[in-house]
Amino acid sequence: MNRMKTLTLACAAAALAVSSMSAQARDFRLGLITPAQHLWSTEAEAFAQTLNERSGGEHSVSVFPAQQLGNEAQMVQQLQTGALDMAFLTIAEISNRIPDFGALYAPYLVDDVNHAARLLRSDAAGELLDLMPEGVGFVGVGYGMVGMRQVLSRSPIESADDLHGQRLRITPFEPIRDFYTATGAAPAPMPLLEVYDALANGQVDAIDMDFDSILILKFYEQANNLLISNHMMFPMVGVVSGRVWRELSEEDRELIDTAMSEHLENVLTGFEEMDAAQEEEIRGLDINIVEADAEFFSEAIAEWESIWAPKAPMLETLRAEADRLRDE
């Protein structure tokens, strides 16, 4: 009788343990705007695999690239309600809600992708992540990026004056809009996956873009003039919904934070490693190339600074850190 009772209790305990594990198990959903072949998307998939393995199969992540869950503004809303668990977001939508993030887009804040990656790894950039829970209701895990911004156009741009009146595709956020407005261009917000057709049918005259996307999505087939300016970096941030985060155990928070941080770092190092080869590949294409520096955009930079220095106090801190890293 005692043996039977002991066996029954053991079975009940095992069932309770299984039930408890099932209650804790989650299939997280992660959204992003980049196509499946983009490094952000492939590292999101790799993060899903890492989390599944390290949780002993308890947790899984379903990745939704290419705006399958909507544009970034829609994904931000989903994250805030807890309908979406995680995302890899450009800083664009965040800067529209927390102006200090706009400081990361200061023209010529950094020199190149390596300098950008060092700044994004810094404590100064980390201070911005601390603003996210209160500012947007997310937990910011860390940064990724794409390459530096360039201008690809249907007609040559040989001086800043050539941008006047150009309908120029941008990612929809204020810092980049203000920069191109200051150049005299007409910024046109547009989803990444609509850009190729917009160039083809003349809906836009030029695009603000990085080497990687120009090559992957073959935008050079529809616009054969490239202004290599490296005028702005373009960060990404890995986030978890604050509502979802509060439901997680400390152990699961640590597991997610560690795994996602590793794959965000892979994005940073990936673009550091790819940039030179991508630039060489682009220079080998049959396109017209003009090079530009800060002097090329001097008037637009001054106007941008007059708008954003008061709006984004963190600009001073980030610039000091960027200067320190430049001198190392």
Side-chain angles (χ1 to χ4, degrees), residues 148-192:
M148 302 294 288
R149 308 312 283 178
Q150 325 293 344
V151 181
L152 186 72
S153 57
R154 289 157 55 89
S155 59
I157 298 172
E158 298 179 346
S159 72
D161 289 343
D162 291 332
L163 283 164
H164 289 192
Q166 294 281 304
R167 185 166 171 79
L168 190 148
R169 179 270 174 184
I170 63 166
T171 308
F173 66 111
E174 293 179 9
I176 201 165
R177 181 204 65 195
D178 290 342
F179 174 73
Y180 281 112
T181 298
T183 69
M190 182 178 295
L192 181 66

Side-chain angles (χ1 to χ4, degrees), residues 33-35 169 190-196 209 213 217 219:
I33 63 170
T34 50
R169 179 270 174 184
M190 182 178 295
L192 181 66
L193 301 182
E194 296 178 13
V195 172
Y196 187 93
M209 198 60 61
S213 295
L217 299 174
F219 294 137

Side-chain angles (χ1 to χ4, degrees), residues 6 47 66 71 76 90 96 110 112 119 150 208 217 291 299 320:
T6 301
F47 158 68
N71 60 31
V76 164
T90 72
N96 288 342
V110 296
D112 52 34
L119 182 60
Q150 325 293 344
D208 174 88
L217 299 174
E291 303 198 36
E299 292 183 13

Side-chain angles (χ1 to χ4, degrees), residues 32-312:
L32 62 170
I33 63 170
T34 50
Q37 68 268 39
H38 193 277
L39 184 59
W40 293 7
S41 301
T42 58
E43 283 301 327
E45 292 285 1
F47 158 68
Q49 182 176 346
T50 298
L51 185 62
N52 183 253
E53 290 173 353
R54 292 184 185 174
S55 66
E58 183 176 349
H59 298 315
S60 59
V61 181
S62 297
V63 177
F64 298 88
Q67 300 189 137
Q68 290 180 36
L69 301 180
N71 60 31
E72 288 202 333
Q74 292 166 326
M75 284 194 283
V76 164
Q77 293 175 348
Q78 293 168 40
L79 286 160
Q80 289 173 327
T81 64
L84 178 60
D85 303 295
M86 306 169 179
F88 285 180
L89 299 170
T90 72
I91 303 294
E93 248 345 281
I94 309 300
S95 68
N96 288 342
R97 291 163 168 78
I98 307 175
D100 265 319
F101 273 92
L104 289 170
Y105 295 106
Y108 294 97
L109 173 66
V110 296
D111 301 333
D112 52 34
V113 292
N114 303 99
H115 193 193
R118 293 199 301 275
L119 182 60
L120 291 172
R121 294 183 183 109
S122 72
D123 290 341
E127 288 180 34
L128 289 171
L129 298 179
D130 295 338
L131 303 175
M132 296 185 73
E134 182 177 349
V136 287
F138 308 157
V139 173
V141 174
Y143 294 101
M145 65 176 182
V146 291
M148 302 294 288
R149 308 312 283 178
Q150 325 293 344
V151 181
L152 186 72
S153 57
R154 289 157 55 89
S155 59
I157 298 172
E158 298 179 346
S159 72
D161 289 343
D162 291 332
L163 283 164
H164 289 192
Q166 294 281 304
R167 185 166 171 79
L168 190 148
R169 179 270 174 184
I170 63 166
T171 308
F173 66 111
E174 293 179 9
I176 201 165
R177 181 204 65 195
D178 290 342
F179 174 73
Y180 281 112
T181 298
T183 69
M190 182 178 295
L192 181 66
L193 301 182
E194 296 178 13
V195 172
Y196 187 93
D197 289 342
L199 279 172
N201 63 30
Q203 186 180 348
V204 294
D205 304 302
I207 61 175
D208 174 88
M209 198 60 61
D210 58 279
F211 291 148
D212 188 60
S213 295
I214 289 171
L215 289 169
I216 287 178
L217 299 174
K218 299 185 178 181
F219 294 137
Y220 57 85
E221 292 179 347
Q222 301 301 332
N224 63 351
N225 297 278
L226 179 63
L227 183 69
I228 297 182
S229 54
N230 296 308
H231 59 273
M232 195 177 286
M233 69 168 167
F234 202 84
M236 171 266 276
V237 64
V239 302
V240 180
S241 163
R243 287 178 178 266
V244 172
W245 191 257
R246 288 192 293 273
E247 298 170 356
L248 299 173
S249 67
E250 285 297 326
E251 182 181 1
D252 282 343
R253 290 178 184 178
E254 177 65 24
L255 190 64
I256 291 167
D257 182 81
T258 301
M260 186 180 287
S261 294
E262 290 175 11
H263 290 283
L264 291 170
E265 175 61 23
N266 288 347
V267 172
L268 290 178
T269 57
F271 277 101
E272 286 184 283
E273 292 166 358
M274 291 189 300
D275 186 71
Q278 289 177 334
E279 180 172 350
E280 183 178 356
E281 183 177 352
I282 280 181
R283 288 182 181 276
L285 298 174
D286 185 22
I287 60 175
N288 174 52
I289 292 177
V290 174
E291 303 198 36
D293 57 16
E295 184 60 30
F296 187 96
F297 291 110
S298 58
E299 292 183 13
I301 292 171
E303 187 172 332
W304 191 94
E305 292 279 343
S306 71
I307 296 169
W308 281 92
K311 288 175 65 171

